[in-house]
Amino acid sequence: MQVEFYRHNLDETDRANARRVLESVFLTTGPVCGEFEKRFAEYTGLEHAVALNSCTDALHLALLALGIGPGDEVITTPMTFIASATAILHAGATPVLADVNPATGCLDPDRVREAVTPNTRAILPVHLYGTMCDMPALREIADRHGLAIVEDAAHCVASSRGGVYVGELGDCACYSFYATKNLTCGEGGALATNNGELAEQVRLLRQHGMNKEASDRYHGTYQHWDMIELGYKANLDDIRASLMVDQITRLDEMQAERKRLHGVYSEALAGLLDAGLVELPELRGEPSHHLFTVLVPENMRDELLTHMGANGVGVAVNYRAIHTLTWFRENLKHEPEDFPHACSIGRRTMSLPFYPGLTDEQVAYVVRVLAGKFGKG
Ligand SMILES: *Cc1c(COP(=O)(O)O)cnc(C)c1O
């Protein structure tokens, strides 16, 4: 049996929407992108959404729009994709790492509190695997020290915890529509916020700081545009937006299927869990169920990755702690043990195939292959 690590859920409607854009005159950021932004804002419950080229761009432009730059420190987690930290570096600021809660893998507010210095300007929490960070605790720290919060919601398109939803307590939330994310167009991202000024500033920065977008310039008589900021090129085009404008109406259904599959996996893994051979990260609140990861013994993890692949099961690692990667090791100069919980998760974690469309039989096969390595096949 072959079980892909990820399969997208684009359907005939999405393909027809893309075809319609491809057969029209206008390919770049225009009416379809605008409609997607409207629907995405509605979905998140936040007032404004700006569609972007990637979540990396969303994080970068959010920090710039908040006025964060050289000399500023932004506290984030080592248990994340590198983009959470590289966006801080690209803004000219310094990423300061704080360790995670060993059960959830999310930023630990106690470690964040210890990491605050007079130069701290923001916290960049990552809602790992779809479980939200403890946002009330982070908000309290931010309020005490006058910090901004930029939420990395790449794993967390729809979630709440203790009645708090994504982006509610932060200044904004940044989303990814990368190929393996819950909502996808291959490559894409968005920023959502209740702060209208922040949204407008990001809108300006996504398009070279030009005061008119191509769609404004296209209609009717020619109008001059002006450049009023030094901006970037980070807009999402109508071609990619067309793949999500209806996909988003199926997102709740897909989220429900992810939740069900999480249960199917947990049940199939019961023997290994009871024997203490495998652990699962703890979920909090109503998670987004982005990835299904298991923690395996450190001395078996890499062997297991090979074993799964050799038996036709796609696997991944989300993530090796970023401070152990070459560039960060050489530039931030941390020892692996500086963040022991992130380091430990990074050495034990393995992500299994997880997406709507995965069958219960496939889940059973994946778990059988895994159990085989423990002599429990
Ligand atoms: C995928 C991901 C990103 C980057 O998203 P892109 O859209 O590829 O830029 C950032 N942070 C986390 C936690 C991610 O998983």
Side-chain angles (χ1 to χ4, degrees):
M1 194 185 280
Q2 186 77 30
V3 188
E4 306 288 351
F5 178 67
Y6 192 75
R7 291 190 77 93
H8 66 71
N9 290 94
L10 296 181
D11 71 5
E12 198 39 55
T13 308
D14 304 327
R15 281 187 282 273
N17 288 341
R19 211 170 297 121
R20 201 167 306 116
V21 172
L22 292 174
E23 286 165 359
S24 78
V25 178
F26 199 84
L27 301 179
T28 184
T29 310
V32 182
C33 189
E35 179 60 26
F36 171 68
E37 286 176 334
K38 203 175 119 225
R39 292 185 187 186
F40 190 69
E42 247 164 59
Y43 189 83
T44 60
L46 298 165
E47 276 175 57
H48 311 275
V50 184
L52 297 162
N53 181 58
S54 68
C55 180
T56 307
D57 284 332
L59 294 165
H60 178 213
L61 299 189
L63 293 168
L64 293 179
L66 288 163
I68 291 162
D72 297 335
E73 295 175 358
V74 178
I75 299 172
T76 192
T77 164
M79 183 36 59
T80 185
F81 181 58
I82 48 176
S84 314
T86 57
I88 297 168
L89 289 159
H90 286 309
T94 305
V96 172
L97 303 178
D99 207 2
V100 297
N101 178 314
T104 62
C106 288
L107 208 47
D108 181 341
D110 290 333
R111 300 290 85 78
V112 171
R113 216 170 273 122
E114 294 165 359
V116 174
T117 77
N119 295 324
T120 308
R121 292 289 311 282
I123 306 171
L124 197 155
V126 178
H127 304 313
L128 194 70
Y129 310 146
T131 281
M132 280 180 72
C133 295
D134 183 350
M135 290 306 297
L138 294 179
R139 185 72 258 171
E140 189 210 292
I141 297 167
D143 285 344
R144 174 158 326 142
H145 299 281
L147 313 177
I149 299 182
V150 174
E151 297 177 40
D152 182 334
H155 289 193
C156 207
V157 66
S159 180
S160 67
R161 175 172 169 183
V164 175
Y165 55 91
V166 178
E168 184 183 356
L169 297 185
D171 292 78
C172 62
C174 300
Y175 304 84
S176 174
F177 310 129
Y178 173 70
T180 58
K181 300 290 161 57
N182 294 23
L183 178 67
T184 185
C185 61
E187 298 282 357
L191 174 142
T193 177
N194 284 325
N195 180 337
E197 264 176 57
L198 182 62
E200 275 321 297
Q201 186 63 13
V202 169
R203 208 172 275 283
L204 198 58
L205 290 174
R206 80 172 174 182
Q207 192 90 300
H208 294 296
M210 292 160 75
N211 66 347
K212 285 189 179 64
E213 297 202 327
S215 55
D216 303 320
R217 286 178 276 133
Y218 181 73
H219 292 296
T221 52
Y222 184 83
Q223 293 180 6
H224 288 299
W225 50 266
D226 196 7
M227 172 184 154
I228 58 177
E229 279 282 0
L230 177 58
Y232 296 80
K233 176 68 179 175
N235 53 314
L236 185 77
D237 52 86
D238 271 14
I239 303 172
R240 287 181 289 165
S242 72
L243 294 171
M244 299 189 291
V245 73
D246 279 313
Q247 189 186 156
I248 195 168
T249 65
R250 307 193 304 274
L251 190 50
D252 278 339
E253 212 176 289
M254 294 195 284
Q255 293 293 108
E257 179 57 10
R258 284 173 179 274
K259 185 174 178 176
R260 193 190 73 80
L261 284 168
H262 190 280
V264 175
Y265 258 122
S266 302
E267 217 163 284
L269 284 165
L272 292 175
L273 294 169
D274 290 344
L277 297 169
V278 164
E279 285 174 59
L280 300 183
E282 280 178 27
L283 306 177
R284 299 283 156 83
E286 290 292 325
S288 204
H289 295 292
H290 171 52
L291 292 167
F292 189 87
T293 69
V294 291
L295 295 164
V296 299
E298 191 176 313
N299 62 358
M300 289 181 72
R301 200 271 305 274
D302 287 359
E303 225 180 292
L304 272 166
L305 292 170
T306 308
H307 169 75
M308 301 303 283
N311 285 280
V313 177
V315 287
V317 172
N318 304 91
Y319 300 92
R320 290 190 292 161
I322 64 169
H323 68 289
T324 66
L325 304 178
T326 301
W327 192 91
F328 287 103
R329 214 173 53 226
E330 289 175 358
N331 288 275
L332 298 187
K333 303 194 190 308
H334 285 298
E335 296 299 324
E337 290 310 315
D338 287 353
F339 310 103
H341 297 316
C343 190
S344 169
I345 294 170
R347 288 172 175 170
R348 292 185 297 140
T349 190
M350 177 167 72
S351 304
L352 303 178
F354 189 63
Y355 41 89
L358 192 69
T359 66
D360 293 13
E361 291 69 33
Q362 286 176 312
V363 171
Y365 175 73
V366 170
V367 172
R368 214 159 47 240
V369 171
L370 177 60
K373 196 72 185 168
F374 290 101
K376 303 254 174 189

